Amino acid sequence: MTFEVQNRIGDARQPASDGATLQRHDPADARTLVSVAPESTGDDVGAAVAAAAQAFPEWSRTTPSARAALLEKAAGVLAAASDEIGAEMVAEMGKPLGMARKEAARTPKNLELYAAEAIRLTGVTYPSDDPGATVYSEREPVGVVGVITPWNFPLNLASRKIGPALAAGNTVVFKPSPMTPRMGERLGEAFVEAGFPPGVVNTVHGVAAGAHLVADERVGAITFTGSTATGARIHDAVGLGRRLQLELGGNNPIVVLADADLDAAAQVVAQSSFSLSGQACTAAGRILVATEVHDALLDLVVAKAAAHVVGRGTEASTTMGPLIDGRAVEAMAEVVADAVAAGARVVTGGSRLEGDLAHGHFFAPTLLADVDPTMALARTEVFGPVVGFERVSGLEEAVERANAGDYGLTSAICTTSIAAARRFAMAIQAGTVRINRPTVGAAFNAPFGGTKRSGTGTHREQLGPTVMDFYTSLKTVFFGS
Ligand code: NAD
């Protein structure tokens, strides 16, 4: 069955105004067409922004309780369909069914969390030097929020943006990834089904739609999660006067010191590097290992790589699904070839998988040794199951190498030394530091995001207690009599 996805603009489900479509094929078997979605024009995106702008005044005046109740209803709509949605997610983007179901079940919880934020929002009253005036700051919604998201967590990431935007009284134009249009439609339509007024949540699909949305000056805030390359383009396009949140890519290091528990460290490395086939922004592609334990750790991680069952996400035995598309497979082959040409050694994997899996975009879990900091593998985001081992003399060299990179999303260290863990946590340039824990994942009550080229540094506004700051403006009032 192929999903016929439509845009949602105001109260209408509709195709692109010129009828153009994009097609999404199953990454596990490219012969299967999964979804057909609108390739929206600039006019379509403009209409969605107009609908959101028109809906804003009335929506922004609704009570916090009313907004919370609708968010809870949307959570209920998603929760009721979560098994079905999980299966559709596997068809569009390939992750193993268990992981997809987990994401589908977690997404409604995000909306419940943000429902409560609608009620919890506060302002601040300040001591006043002017006895005749009360000085306070109050929060206002920003207006129309543009939400642009990637495919790797197609529901969860978008719900973490749309939820707080709506809770604060903003209206939304949502632009899901062209890789996962059905997931975008599922999420967008849940708000409609829950009873949000027309125009409060609009969904537009397409490859070019994101740039149209960013260019529209009526969009007061843009929250984007995706690659650093796209984020840089958006950054250039937004200019002064509009709010921008960029959550971008990473090249996340794990440091393993000589005193580490090696079995535990091997588990940390394997989980960080291969879950979601390495297609997580928090995946670790760079393992900086103290020379004394390098070979022993490598052997342990090779065994873990060999234990992975690579296959279709629909198979219960699968632990690693396909990559998102053919280009991603080519990118893995290139990064391996580049490293080998520069002197690295393939220890396991290194190529795409053929045989039964030849019609999908499968790449073997791959470990390379003798990687050095000049290789693309050590400098760029790989976003796949290719991992490089580098030998380091100890903590100081590891930190120096890690900090020399362009990214600063997440990081980890495996050590039994409290002093080394403390020093690492202080010195590493990254938004998140994990001690003896995998780099992957996030907690929805703790801030998440990156420094340097991993984002705009507004990560305290993505997850955690200050999440609502991005979606509200503060107005300071000097209230005299
Ligand atoms: P991508 O940058 O290719 O696309 C992301 C979204 O941007 C898509 O919806 C796309 O259609 C849209 N887009 C493309 N060009 C645009 C433009 N010029 N203007 C506006 N929008 C545009 O990223 P992807 O391949 O979908 O996702 C993978 C990337 O996302 C990786 O780099 C990964 O690290 C990153 N990511 C980051 C986080 C985080 O929280 N930091 C989380 C998940 C994924």
Side-chain angles (χ1 to χ4, degrees), residues 148-153 157 160 175-179 206-214 224-231 233-234 246-250 279-282 324 381 383 409 448-450 454 462:
I148 306 175
T149 49
W151 50 264
N152 62 340
F153 293 95
L157 294 177
R160 280 164 24 185
K175 211 303 282 177
S177 167
M179 304 293 186
V207 173
H212 292 306
L213 184 57
V214 168
F224 170 83
T225 299
S227 64
T228 295
T230 306
R233 278 198 286 279
I234 294 175
L246 301 174
E247 296 296 340
L248 308 176
Q279 301 175 113
C281 58
T282 49
I324 191 67
E381 180 178 53
F383 220 58
L409 191 57
F448 173 79
S454 292
Q462 175 171 266

Side-chain angles (χ1 to χ4, degrees), residues 128-225:
S128 173
D129 275 345
D130 176 353
T134 304
V135 185
Y136 60 90
S137 293
E138 61 185 358
R139 288 177 192 263
E140 295 179 336
V142 178
V144 177
V145 176
V147 172
I148 306 175
T149 49
W151 50 264
N152 62 340
F153 293 95
L155 294 176
N156 184 39
L157 294 177
S159 70
R160 280 164 24 185
K161 298 173 183 293
I162 298 174
L166 296 174
N170 301 286
T171 55
V172 167
V173 178
F174 171 35
K175 211 303 282 177
S177 167
M179 304 293 186
T180 50
R182 174 63 174 166
M183 289 299 95
E185 181 172 65
R186 275 288 196 180
L187 184 58
E189 289 299 299
F191 296 103
V192 176
E193 218 178 295
F196 277 78
V200 173
V201 183
N202 308 274
T203 307
V204 284
H205 299 272
V207 173
H212 292 306
L213 184 57
V214 168
D216 196 316
E217 296 278 342
R218 293 170 294 179
V219 179
I222 292 150
T223 173
F224 170 83
T225 299

Side-chain angles (χ1 to χ4, degrees), residues 281-302:
C281 58
T282 49
R286 201 176 176 193
I287 318 301
L288 301 153
V289 192
T291 304
E292 302 92 306
V293 294
H294 177 280
D295 293 355
L297 180 74
L298 190 55
D299 286 349
L300 289 170
V301 181
V302 167

Side-chain angles (χ1 to χ4, degrees), residues 384-455:
V386 177
V387 182
F389 270 57
E390 297 175 47
R391 287 173 198 270
V392 291
S393 56
L395 178 63
E396 295 311 316
E397 188 186 7
V399 167
E400 196 179 311
R401 282 198 193 189
N403 283 348
D406 288 340
Y407 297 93
L409 191 57
T410 183
S411 61
I413 187 167
C414 297
T415 180
T416 50
S417 159
I418 292 171
R422 177 85 181 116
R423 165 90 187 107
F424 182 76
M426 287 170 75
I428 195 76
Q429 295 166 356
T432 302
V433 184
R434 308 257 189 157
I435 315 295
N436 297 321
R437 286 286 178 276
T439 52
V440 285
F444 60 18
N445 57 354
F448 173 79
T451 59
K452 294 155 85 175
R453 289 181 68 78
S454 292

